[in-house]
Amino acid sequence: MSKLNKIGWEFSSHDVDEERIARVVTVQKNRYRVTDGESDFLAHVSGKFRMNASQSLDFPSVGDWVIVDKLRQEQKAVILEILPRKSQFIRQAAGGKTEAQVVGANIDTVFIVNSLNQDLNLRRMERYILSAYDSGASPVIILTKKDECTEEEIRENVAVVEGIAFGIPILTISSLTGDGISELLDNYLPSGKTGALLGSSGVGKSTLVNKLMNAEVQETKSIREADSKGRHTTTHREMFFLPNGALLIDTPGMRELQLWEGEAVLDTAFQDIETLEEECRFADCSHRTEPGCRIKEALDLGELSTERFESYRKLQRELAYEKRKQNKKSMLDEKHRWKQISKEQRHKYKNMR
């Protein structure tokens, strides 16, 4: 096995010297740590890279494969280029700015983590499922803290989650007892594959990383007993190299995942509602007052919960709103670009006179 294969390299044809290929392990603001499978380097992007990057998406993220110039004596590197991503998990950046943020790249499996205690939140999980499908990676749901629940509570919670999962594998685990850990590694995190843990604070991501690493590599904090809400521990995205040869990206907890895209995979995440809509009498049914509405019938009969349908409509509205914001930003950026070109051309013409 080559040193690149040890860090998940799967590509066979790239017109580049493999000695110049590295993978991004950690991102902290404008600083990066990369590895070539043999050595780690502190890295920054080149001046040319920064000048050509027009948005956050253009900058390296954890899991990215990059072309670098290595300064071995200083254990530093300069990032020159990002190789094409096979998958990327994107969210709307925090704050009011309309900008996409890559949480992780080149991921094989997205692990949507939630706890089996009272913090189980189906609506939040629906958002993660939608984003996971949109990323290009395969989603798996992990329900943690199995040791804190009775067998009956576990069965009830799994049944509830199955109502929104539609074929997505669901694992119940305990990082304390190790129950379910072998199944996770054997079936979904084999050697050479890359996974990413996504979920809100306090669901047990850091504890799970420590269990899989067989070492205390992540700080953990107890949850508040009053409401089972988690406390924020992980502060940056980082890739860990598991003892079995797999790679795992841990991410800061996101209490509210702000969507960036997802319209194309909405029907996949909400297969039940899409199927019902196809059975409506009218193709443009608004599911309000039209006769022969299969959605209204399913709601009345209890086949579809009001909460799930309202979540679906809310996500539709949110995605449409984000699309409008993105289109407006693109128009303003284009207008600014043409103003800049016009200004430069006028200046050039003036100097020629």
Side-chain angles (χ1 to χ4, degrees), residues 201-231:
S201 301
V203 298
K205 299 192 307 298
S206 296
T207 305
L208 177 56
V209 170
N210 290 340
K211 184 66 177 179
L212 293 171
M213 288 289 290
N214 297 323
E216 296 293 318
V217 296
Q218 289 288 70
E219 180 186 358
T220 59
K221 292 182 181 179
S222 60
I223 61 173
R224 300 194 299 262
E225 293 183 5
D227 57 9
S228 294
K229 301 296 184 184
R231 300 176 184 178

Side-chain angles (χ1 to χ4, degrees), residues 269-313:
F270 289 86
Q271 298 173 33
D272 53 336
I273 295 178
E274 291 290 329
T275 299
L276 289 170
E277 285 186 323
E278 290 173 0
E279 297 174 6
C280 286
R281 183 183 300 177
F282 302 107
D284 59 349
C285 184
S286 66
H287 317 307
R288 291 188 176 89
T289 59
E290 296 89 342
C293 175
R294 183 68 179 92
I295 292 288
K296 286 198 302 178
E297 181 184 29
L299 289 169
D300 292 340
L301 294 174
E303 298 174 12
L304 174 65
S305 74
T306 301
E307 294 80 8
R308 179 160 171 80
F309 182 62
E310 295 205 348
S311 174
Y312 172 74
R313 298 299 287 265

Side-chain angles (χ1 to χ4, degrees), residues 245-264:
L247 302 98
L248 185 64
I249 299 171
D250 191 16
T251 64
M254 292 177 275
R255 177 60 61 183
E256 184 71 13
L257 172 65
Q258 292 182 284
L259 300 174
W260 179 255
E261 293 180 332
E263 288 177 300

Side-chain angles (χ1 to χ4, degrees), residues 19 21 25 55 84 88 97 107 109 129 155 173 219 246 256 260 269 310 330 348 353:
E19 282 299 314
I21 294 175
V25 175
Q55 56 183 332
Q88 56 182 5
K97 192 175 181 180
I107 301 165
T109 306
I129 288 171
R155 283 195 299 271
I173 68 167
E219 180 186 358
E256 184 71 13
W260 179 255
E310 295 205 348
S330 295
K348 182 178 179 181
R353 292 179 62 183

Side-chain angles (χ1 to χ4, degrees), residues 100-111:
Q101 179 184 55
V102 182
V103 177
N106 299 307
I107 301 165
D108 296 297
T109 306
V110 171
F111 296 104

Side-chain angles (χ1 to χ4, degrees), residues 120 122 125 141 143 156-166 170:
L120 184 68
L122 297 181
M125 291 177 69
I141 294 172
L143 301 178
E156 289 176 354
N157 284 333
V158 169
V160 169
V161 174
E162 284 176 340
I164 67 169
F166 294 96
I170 302 171

